[in-house]
Structures are given as structure tokens and as C-alpha cells.
């Protein structure tokens, strides 16, 4: 039993998951990612412009999910890899994102290290492979 | 606004009860509450009931859980509703019950919580536990609640020099406290060294940093303070109650080393009660993961943010310290039946402030004010309560 994200629901977030499309607030100029109906910075603006984020950022915090602690939809991944890292990345444009890390450095992950978004398989549900972003050392 | 008193409280032991479902758990806590009302209670005086539960019996009763439970204890016609805010469901049941009495609409209201977590497969359990955070992004990054709190712990370590050992001090302290508590799930002492060596869950956490899954229920009876002495000479006054929200997703928040929901809820509760953190004699705080208790010290004003770990080093929050925190064992060792937790804390405080802790060895002496703190998930919601003993 896994967290249920329907195919249409996943599809609606494709601009964010495939292309890191953020929403630039026309009132204050800051970028919301993921999108909000009202800007989370000025709490006023409700009109936005699409901007594609660079995918460049730095590790703000990290954890390593151990095999037994993975949610069911990531169980196979955890079994194959033993464990997998999850990061909070602060993007150079400002927003923070939560993401898995691929190719973690052998010497360990450090807060502040540079990372870059890459396009990867996330998981599978309802027979459909779901793609999205993960981050790799830059 | 009317003043609010607590005149009865009860709870099941927390743990693994294959022979009991949500109805049986709720009934046991309810009957213990009834017995605790010193001069007895005509049950028909209860005007409303707020019952906290996340999974409503692991999903078996998605809708209308509250009338099901009330019908099971002879109160089929009481105005009853289920309250849900993940791990803070019980706290929000208590908060809503307090508001209902304070408004003057009802003289007597039940606040309760119940959760049945132990008769589901571990697969389904992990499903349930991970969909009260931000499902779209946090969950699809492969994270669970342990992972989200682990991210907070890593950042706290980075910013303030918190050490792995400090996390284990929380676990060892709360396990030590639970030994004397007959209601606790794990009545087993562990050393700091043992707590540092558990099976990894999410770096920096091992299994000793995490609260367990538990079955359990708790019930609290609130009334207008004007009528409290009809029922007991020892009411406990609910002097302040606050609740607040924050962005559900961790990546939407400015800081990962504080919970703004707790801070706002605490500010509201302290202001209403007319007291400050320095007046609190003991506290039950939401230690779902060890870092959560350390965050709570800062957010509730017991320490400056970033210095909370030194309270642990000094033994300040041990049962024999200046400010006992989680003398019950906390979520960590008393157990964490999600929807019940917030009301279970109130039940513990009620008994302590009436000098009725079941084991005399665990009675906190000379306490006048107490605080309880209940968090939803990783801090999307929080409720804080301030209690004053009523026989002084």
C-alpha cells in the first residue's frame, strides 16, 4: 500500500517535476516553488509569471533513509541500495526543495555542498513510471 | 469568556492490545475518567464531545467515528464530532472542548482521543504514518516523518553544535521516567550508550530516537469552572490554551530549528494564563523523535534556541530536576497512540496536579503550574495548554 498520487494529479505537477518551473510573484518579484495561490513571501500577490529554475543549489540539510525506514513505494529502491539520501536543497534563486540525492560522494554528504538537479525515475504507481527531479553533486 | 476546569480524566495503558479495538479502548479510558470524578457524574450533563483520531481504527471507520464511540458508552445522543490534525488530533480535541466551554455554550464537554495502530501490517502502518505530512513533495522524495525530523536534527547539529549524544540523552531520560509509570508502553531503562547504538532509521536517528506505534485512548472531562466544585474539591484549571498552524511542508518554512506553530500556540496560552515559562513546574512535551523535545525546549521558552541541549547536560529536565519534562516517559517511552496522545498528556497532568500519580515514587511535588504540548506531524499544527492546580 503506497501513498496514492493519481495519474492526473501527477500530470498536473509535470511543469514542476520535469522542468522545475517556479512562479515569479508580480507583486514582490520572489519565486514560489512549488506554486502557491497567494505568494508565500508577500502574502499579497496572486498573479505570477512562469520561470524555469536553474537547478543549481546547495545542500541545506540531509538525512539518509535506512532500508527499514523507507515508505512502501520506495521499498525496492531501499532494498537495492541499502539506504538512500534525502536532501533539502536551497536553490540559487531562493526556494528550497526536498529531493533524493543520486551519486552521493563517498566521503559523505556535507551541508553547504553544491548540487545540481537531474532528471530521474522517482517511483512506479498504477503501472506508470513517475519521473521527476533528483539532485546530484555538482 | 468563561473559565474552564478539568474534573475527570482517564486513559488506557499504552501498548499492544490485540484483544481491543477502538471501541474497547475508548470505553476503558471513559470508564476510568468517570471513576475519577470525586462526587460522581450524571452522564447526561455532558453536552458535547470532541474525539481526536487520525486513522479512525486504521481506516475501518473513515466517517462518523465519534457517534460510534459515544453510542458504545451509553451517550448516543450527545453532540459528537471527530477532530483530526494528525498527531495533534487529541490536543485539538482538547482545544476545541475548551473553547466550547469557554464560549458559554456548554457547561460540560468531553475531550478524547483514540488510536488503534498495532493490528495493521507494517506496510500499511508506514503508509498511514507518511501521508499526514506533505504527500506531494516530502513523501515523493522518499521521506517519512522520521526523515523530516532527521532533516531538522541535521540542521540543528550544523547550526548549534548539537551532538548525537544529546539526542540519546532525551531517549535515556524518557525511558528512565517510564519505568515507574504503569500506563507506559516501555518500562525499561536504557543507557545513553545503548541509545546511541540502535538500528539506523534515518541519519542521525536510530530506532531509539523514534516513538513507537501504540494502541491507546484517553478521555478528559471539562466543565465551566463555576460548577467544578460540585464535582470535586480538587479541580485542575485550564488557565491557557493556544493552537496555531504553519506551512505543512518543511521546505516552505524559513527555519528548520524551531516550530513556529508551537511558538505561536505557546504565546497564546501563556498570555491567556498570565504566566510565563519560568512559572511552569513540569511539562509534558511532544517528543515523537528525540530532536522534537530539544526543539520544544526552545519553542516553549524553557531555553534559548540553540542552547536547549545544555538543559539535558545539566539534568534540568529529569524527573528530579528543576523542570521535569516528560516525567510520564513521553511519547518516546509512554507510547504514542496518535489521536490519544494530546488527551493522554492532559490526563497525566490532571493526576499529577491532584497528587494522584499512580506510583508515589513518580509524584511531582509542590507543583502549581504545568504545561502540555502536542504537535501535528512535523509542526504543521501545534496546541499548548497551561494548567493550574485548583485545591490551593
Amino acid at each position: 500500500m503506497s501513498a496514492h498520487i493519481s495519474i492526473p494529479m501527477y500530470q498536473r505537477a509535470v511543469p514542476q517535476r520535469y522542468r522545475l518551473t517556479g512562479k515569479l510573484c508580480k507583486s514582490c518579484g520572489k519565486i514560489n516553488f512549488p506554486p502557491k495561490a497567494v505568494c508565500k513571501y508577500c502574502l499579497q500577490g496572486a498573479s505570477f509569471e512562469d520561470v524555469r529554475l536553474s537547478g543549481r543549489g546547495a545542500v541545506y540539510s540531509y538525512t539518509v533513509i535506512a532500508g527499514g525506514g523507507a515508505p512502501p513505494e520506495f521499498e525496492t529502491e531501499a532494498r537495492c541500495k541499502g539506504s538512500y539520501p534525502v536532501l533539502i536543497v536551497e536553490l540559487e534563486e531562493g526556494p528550497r526543495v526536498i529531493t533524493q540525492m543520486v551519486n552521493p560522494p563517498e566521503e559523505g554528504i556535507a551541508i553547504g555542498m553544491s548540487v545540481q538537479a537531474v532528471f530521474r525515475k522517482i517511483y512506479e504507481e498504477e503501472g506508470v513510471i513517475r519521473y521527476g527531479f533528483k539532485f546530484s553533486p555538482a | 469568556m468563561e473559565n474552564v476546569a478539568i474534573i475527570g480524566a482517564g486513559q488506557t495503558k499504552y501498548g499492544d492490545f490485540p484483544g481491543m479495538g477502538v471501541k474497547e479502548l475508548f470505553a476503558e479510558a471513559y470508564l476510568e475518567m468517570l471513576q475519577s470524578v470525586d462526587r460522581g457524574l450524571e452522564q447526561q450533563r455532558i453536552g458535547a464531545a470532541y474525539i481526536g483520531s487520525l486513522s479512525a481504527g486504521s481506516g475501518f471507520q473513515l466517517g462518523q467515528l465519534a457517534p460510534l464511540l459515544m453510542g458504545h458508552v451509553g451517550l448516543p445522543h450527545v453532540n459528537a464530532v471527530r477532530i483530526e490534525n494528525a498527531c495533534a488530533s487529541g490536543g485539538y480535541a482538547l482545544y476545541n472542548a475548551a473553547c466550547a466551554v469557554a464560549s458559554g455554550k456548554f457547561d460540560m464537554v468531553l475531550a478524547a482521543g483514540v488510536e488503534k495502530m498495532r493490528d495493521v501490517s507494517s506496510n500499511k502502518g508506514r503508509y498511514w504514518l507518511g501521508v499526514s505530512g506533505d504527500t506531494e513533495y516530502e513523501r515523493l522524495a522518499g521521506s517519512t516523518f522520521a526523515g523530516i525530523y532527521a532533516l531538522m536534527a541535521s540542521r540543528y547539529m550544523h547550526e548549534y553544535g548539537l551532538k548525537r549524544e544529546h539526542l540519546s540523552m532525551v531517549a535515556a531520560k524518557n525511558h528512565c521516567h517510564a519505568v515507574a509509570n504503569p500506563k507506559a508502553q516501555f518500562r525499561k531503562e536504557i543507557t545513553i550508550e545503548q541509545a546511541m547504538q540502535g538500528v539506523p532509521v534515518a541519519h542521525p536517528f536510530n530506532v531509539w530516537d523514534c516513538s513507537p506505534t501504540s494502541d491507546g485512548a484517553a478521555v478528559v472531562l471539562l466543565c465551566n469552572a463555576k460548577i467544578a466544585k460540585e464535582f470535586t474539591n480538587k479541580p485542575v484549571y485550564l488557565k491557557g490554551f493556544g493552537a496555531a498552524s504553519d506551512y505543512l511542508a518543511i521546505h516552505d518554512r524559513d527555519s528548520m530549528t524551531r516550530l513556529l506553530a508551537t511558538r505561536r500556540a505557546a504565546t497564546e496560552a501563556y498570555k491567556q494564563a498570565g504566566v510565563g515559562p519560568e512559572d511552569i513546574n513540569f511539562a509534558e512535551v511532544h517528543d515523537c523523535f528525540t530532536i522534537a523535545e530539544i526543539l520544544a525546549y526552545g519553542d516553549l521558552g524553557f531555553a534559548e534556541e540553540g542552547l536547549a541541549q545544555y538543559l539535558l547536560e545539566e539534568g534540568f529536565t529529569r524527573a528530579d530536576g528543576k523542570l521535569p519534562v516528560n516525567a510520564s516517559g513521553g511519547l518516546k517511552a509512554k507510547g504514542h497512540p496518535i489521536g490519544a496522545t494530546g488527551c493522554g498528556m492532559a490526563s497525566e497532568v490532571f493526576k499529577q496536579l491532584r497528587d494522584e500519580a499512580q506510583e508515589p515514587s513518580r509524584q511531582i511535588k509542590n507543583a502549581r503550574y504545568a504545561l502540555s504540548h502536542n504537535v501535528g506531524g512535523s509542526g504543521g499544527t501545534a496546541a499548548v495548554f497551561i494548567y493550574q492546580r485548583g485545591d490551593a
Side-chain angles (χ1 to χ4, degrees):
Chain A
M1 195 167 186
S2 62
H4 178 60
I5 304 279
S6 69
I7 292 167
M9 185 178 179
Y10 203 89
Q11 199 70 19
R12 287 193 287 271
V14 154
Q16 282 70 49
R17 299 195 188 282
Y18 286 18
R19 295 184 288 281
L20 284 171
T21 302
K23 299 281 182 182
L24 178 83
C25 173
K26 288 183 181 171
S27 296
C28 74
K30 291 196 170 160
I31 297 168
N32 288 256
F33 184 93
K36 296 267 189 287
V38 173
C39 175
K40 62 173 277 200
Y41 299 99
C42 66
L43 306 178
Q44 303 278 335
S47 175
F48 301 94
E49 200 175 289
D50 281 2
V51 289
R52 189 164 172 176
L53 300 168
S54 65
R56 286 190 295 272
V59 174
Y60 185 80
S61 193
Y62 73 97
T63 182
V64 181
I65 306 287
E73 61 274 20
F74 294 96
E75 205 170 7
T76 313
E77 181 168 355
R79 204 181 308 131
C80 294
K81 296 179 178 172
S83 63
Y84 55 83
V86 172
L87 312 176
I88 297 285
V89 172
E90 190 162 87
L91 298 171
E92 61 182 18
E93 295 90 348
R96 289 185 200 144
V97 294
I98 186 164
T99 174
Q100 279 189 35
M101 184 184 223
V102 295
N103 309 319
E106 273 178 33
E107 66 274 19
I109 303 161
I111 289 177
M113 70 181 281
S114 297
V115 288
Q116 171 70 49
V118 291
F119 190 64
R120 287 289 185 279
K121 175 182 167 179
I122 304 295
Y123 78 118
E124 190 181 321
E125 191 185 350
E126 297 178 318
V128 176
I129 293 173
R130 313 294 176 90
Y131 292 99
F133 59 83
K134 294 186 180 181
F135 277 68
S136 172
Chain B
M1 198 160 83
E2 302 295 316
N3 291 319
V4 183
I6 301 175
I7 53 170
Q11 68 154 92
T12 64
K13 181 175 165 32
Y14 290 169
D16 201 350
F17 304 113
M20 296 170 91
V22 274
K23 288 188 289 187
E24 292 79 14
L25 290 164
F26 177 75
E28 185 180 311
Y30 177 77
L31 295 173
E32 186 181 295
M33 179 283 292
L34 272 188
Q35 284 187 348
S36 76
V37 182
D38 293 332
R39 296 196 188 101
L41 174 73
E42 286 170 52
Q43 296 177 58
Q44 304 311 321
R45 292 185 70 171
I46 298 172
Y50 296 85
I51 304 178
S53 187
L54 168 63
S55 71
S58 312
F60 100 93
Q61 185 70 45
L62 188 57
Q64 305 205 90
L65 178 72
L68 175 78
L69 297 177
M70 295 299 279
H72 196 60
V73 297
L75 294 165
H77 305 301
V78 171
N79 167 3
V81 65
R82 173 165 80 107
I83 299 285
E84 185 281 306
N85 256 343
C87 317
S89 298
Y92 274 78
L94 183 60
Y95 181 83
N96 279 280
C99 288
V101 172
S103 75
K105 167 86 176 169
F106 297 103
D107 278 342
M108 191 172 288
V109 174
L110 208 65
V114 61
E115 210 71 54
K116 179 73 194 170
M117 300 174 74
R118 298 292 298 169
D119 65 358
V120 296
S121 66
S122 68
N123 200 301
K124 193 174 173 189
R126 281 182 294 145
Y127 159 69
W128 274 112
L129 292 175
V131 289
S132 293
D134 170 73
T135 307
E136 274 193 276
Y137 287 92
E138 287 179 354
R139 176 61 174 253
L140 289 197
S143 187
T144 56
F145 272 125
I148 300 302
Y149 273 100
L151 288 163
M152 295 188 212
S154 285
R155 187 69 201 179
Y156 201 105
M157 288 171 151
H158 176 77
E159 286 191 29
Y160 298 120
L162 181 83
K163 296 190 177 72
R164 168 61 262 184
E165 196 175 354
H166 292 123
L167 299 173
S168 296
M169 286 178 187
V170 175
K173 170 178 76 71
N174 292 351
H175 270 273
C176 173
H177 290 170
V179 172
N181 185 356
K183 301 287 192 186
Q185 185 167 2
F186 294 123
R187 302 179 64 186
K188 181 183 162 209
E189 206 161 335
I190 57 165
T191 63
I192 293 172
E193 293 68 34
Q194 276 174 300
M196 289 176 70
Q197 302 299 329
V199 178
V201 173
H203 172 85
F205 294 157
N206 65 53
V207 72
W208 293 111
D209 292 295
C210 310
S211 54
T213 55
S214 320
D215 297 335
V219 177
V220 183
L221 184 64
L222 285 69
C223 74
N224 190 312
K226 280 180 199 150
I227 61 168
K229 294 269 166 106
E230 279 181 46
F231 301 94
T232 175
N233 289 333
K234 300 195 291 179
V236 168
Y237 295 111
L238 196 51
K239 295 292 283 184
F241 36 98
S245 304
D246 197 356
Y247 289 111
L248 185 60
I250 186 82
H251 49 265
D252 272 333
R253 300 185 200 154
D254 283 341
S255 170
M256 284 175 53
T257 54
R258 61 176 71 170
L259 299 184
L260 279 186
T262 296
R263 286 182 181 235
R264 289 189 171 226
T267 301
E268 183 186 344
Y270 283 132
K271 188 176 166 205
Q272 184 189 356
V275 301
E278 65 285 355
D279 298 309
I280 302 299
N281 300 117
F282 71 93
E284 289 286 311
V285 311
H286 197 91
D287 59 327
C288 51
F289 298 94
T290 46
I291 187 67
E293 181 165 323
I294 292 169
L295 297 178
Y297 292 171
D299 294 335
L300 297 168
F302 299 153
E304 292 286 318
E305 179 177 326
L307 300 178
Q309 58 272 36
Y310 301 112
L311 294 188
L312 291 161
E313 289 183 6
E314 291 161 9
F316 195 82
T317 53
R318 291 182 58 91
D320 57 0
K322 195 142 187 297
L323 174 63
V325 173
N326 288 332
S328 67
L331 282 61
K332 180 69 208 69
K334 180 189 178 187
H336 183 25
I338 296 184
T341 290
C343 287
M345 292 169 164
S347 179
E348 165 76 9
V349 168
F350 177 75
K351 285 173 185 167
Q352 287 281 5
L353 284 180
R354 285 161 50 102
D355 298 327
E356 288 172 353
Q358 253 178 312
E359 286 284 329
S361 69
R362 57 184 295 273
Q363 178 62 49
I364 297 167
K365 295 183 183 72
N366 305 317
R368 180 169 167 79
Y369 292 106
L371 177 150
S372 73
H373 162 244
N374 190 199
V375 176
S378 63
T381 50
V384 173
F385 303 91
I386 307 217
Y387 311 77
Q388 183 190 336
R389 69 186 296 145
D391 60 355

